[in-house]
Amino acid sequence: MGKTNQSFVTEFVLLGLTGYPELETIYFVLVLCMYLVILLGNGVIIIVSVYDSHLHTPMYFFLSNLSFLDICYTSSSIPLFLSSFSTSKKTISFAGCGVQMFLSFAMGATECVLLSMMAFDRYVAICNPLRYPIIMSKASYVPMAAGSWIAGCVNSVLQTSLAMRLPFCGDNVINHFTCEILAVLKLACADISINVISMVVANMIFLVVPVLFIFVSYVIIISTILRIPSAEGRRKAFSTCSAHLTVVIVFYGTILFMYAKPKAKDSSGADKVQVTDKIISLFYGVVTPMLNPLIYSLRNKDVKAAVKKMLC
């Protein structure tokens, strides 16, 4: 490349919804309200899990970790998104982009592993209830949660370091709300085949393997529930895992919708398609963390009782 093209970028421009000012105010208010609900709902889950001794169990320990994770995940991107709407500044520094990318990668991978750990907890509780206190002792479930965080962070360090070591020369406009890795990689002026391979391997480990683990766990759980002779017993057994199953369906269903939906082939509507994809990505990062505490609180008598007790 010529010397004129060797000026490496020190910051990125986040395009967001530039060109659609009529949408910016609407989405600013909407996302701000949803973010406040996320902080409140997940914060309440964490507080009651610590405050109420009846909730000092593996399931609620995992749930409080999930709530803390959702707060961290949304806080890594939503404030940046809101500031870009409320101010004229649409830029983020190179280092800030790396930090934001690291946090979103770490939280996403950790949540996938954590949901599979929660599925194992439900499997043991329903299929091996007599051995549950032994298998899911504190010496077991604390390392399981810690391992989820460590695995997610290690994967994030790898993916972020591979992405940020690339030279970015010339165009520095990211066609997204945040430093989404695929949008960032498009700006690199070097071979990104290693990045693509590492991301495929990471998706297999942190997305496909946990999905298969959860699927097999729930096949065994449902078959065990169906063998319970009484209808009341089946109802109680299913109620213990219905909230987690709902969260899993919402989480992976949104991912499937994002990446499996057909791409428009008409180039004339490419701009509208890109805006739609960005909005879907935005709500994937907001809706799921907002629904998690609602699902667990509305479908769980223990959580509702703990909240009422704390408020009283």
Side-chain angles (χ1 to χ4, degrees):
M1 299 176 67
K3 291 183 179 179
T4 56
N5 293 329
Q6 287 295 332
S7 56
F8 293 93
V9 299
T10 57
E11 64 179 18
F12 293 103
V13 178
L14 301 172
L15 203 57
L17 288 176
T18 302
Y20 296 86
E22 69 280 1
L23 294 178
E24 289 193 348
T25 304
I26 297 173
Y27 283 106
F28 175 84
V29 175
L30 189 59
V31 173
L32 177 60
C33 293
M34 296 172 76
Y35 183 51
L36 295 176
V37 172
I38 290 169
L39 296 179
L40 177 63
N42 287 288
V44 168
I45 293 289
I46 295 172
I47 292 170
V48 297
S49 297
V50 175
Y51 170 78
D52 197 316
S53 59
H54 295 95
L55 302 184
H56 292 175
T57 63
M59 183 176 76
Y60 294 107
F61 178 77
F62 287 130
L63 179 57
S64 61
N65 273 264
L66 183 64
S67 294
F68 179 70
L69 186 148
D70 284 338
I71 291 175
C72 294
Y73 180 76
T74 52
S75 297
S76 70
S77 57
I78 292 182
L80 179 65
F81 164 78
L82 294 175
S83 66
S84 69
F85 274 7
S86 60
T87 64
S88 59
K89 184 181 179 182
K90 306 282 186 182
T91 60
I92 182 172
S93 66
F94 188 85
C97 185
V99 171
Q100 197 273 321
M101 190 186 298
F102 167 80
L103 291 174
S104 61
F105 248 117
M107 299 304 107
T110 302
E111 182 157 0
C112 291
V113 180
L114 195 59
L115 287 174
S116 66
M117 297 295 102
M118 296 173 76
F120 177 75
D121 173 71
R122 294 300 84 205
Y123 160 76
V124 177
I126 293 173
C127 300
N128 294 283
L130 297 179
R131 298 186 61 197
Y132 181 79
I134 300 173
I135 297 175
M136 296 303 297
S137 64
K138 191 172 184 179
S140 299
Y141 67 77
V142 172
M144 288 167 66
S148 301
W149 285 93
I150 293 171
C153 290
V154 169
N155 173 63
S156 184
V157 168
L158 175 64
Q159 302 300 332
T160 304
S161 60
L162 286 175
M164 302 311 286
R165 71 174 179 81
L166 294 170
F168 297 93
C169 39
D171 189 12
N172 67 334
V173 178
I174 298 176
N175 191 16
H176 212 277
F177 295 110
T178 60
C179 289
E180 200 269 334
I181 189 166
L182 295 178
V184 173
L185 291 179
K186 290 179 181 179
L187 306 180
C189 50
D191 181 29
I192 60 171
S193 57
I194 295 177
N195 301 77
V196 173
I197 293 171
S198 67
M199 287 180 64
V200 170
V201 173
N203 285 338
M204 292 295 295
I205 296 173
F206 291 96
L207 205 59
V208 177
V209 172
V211 167
L212 292 176
F213 184 85
I214 293 170
F215 177 76
V216 172
S217 297
Y218 271 100
V219 167
I220 300 173
I221 288 171
I222 292 173
S223 65
T224 302
I225 291 175
L226 293 177
R227 290 198 299 268
I228 298 175
S230 67
E232 181 65 17
R234 289 193 297 270
R235 186 190 65 79
K236 287 183 177 180
F238 187 74
S239 66
T240 63
C241 60
S242 59
H244 174 257
L245 184 59
T246 304
V247 168
V248 168
I249 292 172
V250 170
F251 180 76
Y252 286 106
T254 312
I255 294 177
L256 184 64
F257 176 77
M258 281 177 57
Y259 294 104
K261 64 184 179 64
K263 302 294 182 182
K265 297 181 180 179
D266 183 12
S267 59
S268 62
D271 187 49
K272 290 183 178 180
V273 171
Q274 286 184 350
V275 172
T276 303
D277 288 346
K278 286 189 283 187
I279 292 174
I280 291 173
S281 175
L282 168 67
F283 279 96
Y284 158 71
V286 178
V287 173
T288 304
M290 183 185 71
L291 290 178
N292 286 352
L294 296 177
I295 292 170
Y296 272 100
S297 60
L298 293 176
R299 301 180 64 89
N300 193 299
K301 294 179 180 179
D302 292 336
V303 173
K304 287 190 287 187
V307 171
K308 290 180 180 178
K309 181 181 176 182
M310 184 180 68
L311 292 176
C312 292

